[in-house]
Amino acid sequence: MNYRLLIGLHLLIMSCEEPYFIEEQQVETTVVIEGLITNQNKSHLVKISTTDDFYSIGPTPIISNAQVSVEDSEGNIYLYAEDADSPGYYFSEIFSGKVDLVYRLLVEINGQEYTAEETLLSVTTIDSLSYFLDDQEREYLRENDDNEPNRYYEVQFY
């Protein structure tokens, strides 16, 4: 009886190999604006692109010739210019963001305006950091550590 059950389960598992293809849906192209301001004194980046079809192969479509600026709550305006070597990437003049100021991003693309607003928050201070290896991880390291130079281990912190 167990032998028949085993064969039945094996046939059931082996018969589930048909690939599933997602039906392609027509979706409207959407503008994607990515940016970051830090408290580092440097040129900050805004990347502007569009969404693409699900099965699309190749680089993400970029948007050139946009007007990009950032204004802070003290009235300072920072203009961004598109990088000639990397279309779709816009860099600011050098400045450092200030904690607790509100920053407003303004992007204009072919007469259409996009805005976003956010407060620059302070970074939480890390007062301690520790790790723990369970027995399985220790055994794996013992068995696989061949003392090669430049060998790295992945560590995840939660």
Side-chain angles (χ1 to χ4, degrees), residues 16-136:
C16 296
E17 292 186 17
E18 184 177 326
Y20 178 77
F21 294 100
I22 298 173
E23 289 184 33
E24 188 173 336
Q25 298 177 0
Q26 295 292 0
V27 293
E28 186 177 327
T29 300
T30 304
V31 173
V32 178
I33 302 172
E34 304 170 66
L36 178 68
I37 294 177
T38 69
N39 62 351
Q40 297 175 342
N41 193 36
K42 66 177 190 173
S43 180
H44 300 280
L45 167 71
V46 171
K47 177 184 173 188
I48 306 176
S49 60
T50 62
T51 56
D52 207 354
D53 292 332
F54 184 77
Y55 290 109
S56 174
I57 298 174
T60 303
I62 54 93
I63 295 179
S64 283
N65 302 318
Q67 303 299 313
V68 181
S69 64
V70 168
E71 182 177 3
D72 67 24
S73 53
E74 291 181 340
N76 299 309
I77 297 174
Y78 306 99
L79 301 177
Y80 286 64
E82 187 170 14
D83 187 348
D85 296 326
S86 300
Y89 289 80
Y90 298 81
F91 290 92
S92 71
E93 56 197 75
I94 294 175
F95 74 97
S96 58
K98 295 179 185 175
V99 174
D100 296 328
L101 286 187
V102 175
Y103 289 87
R104 183 172 182 265
L105 172 68
L106 174 61
V107 176
E108 185 179 323
I109 304 167
N110 298 327
Q112 177 72 40
E113 286 189 356
Y114 301 87
T115 61
E117 191 173 281
E118 191 61 58
T119 303
L120 182 62
L121 302 174
S122 62
V123 178
T124 303
T125 303
I126 298 174
D127 60 0
S128 65
L129 188 62
S130 61
Y131 68 95
F132 170 78
L133 295 175
D134 63 26
D135 293 336
Q136 184 180 9

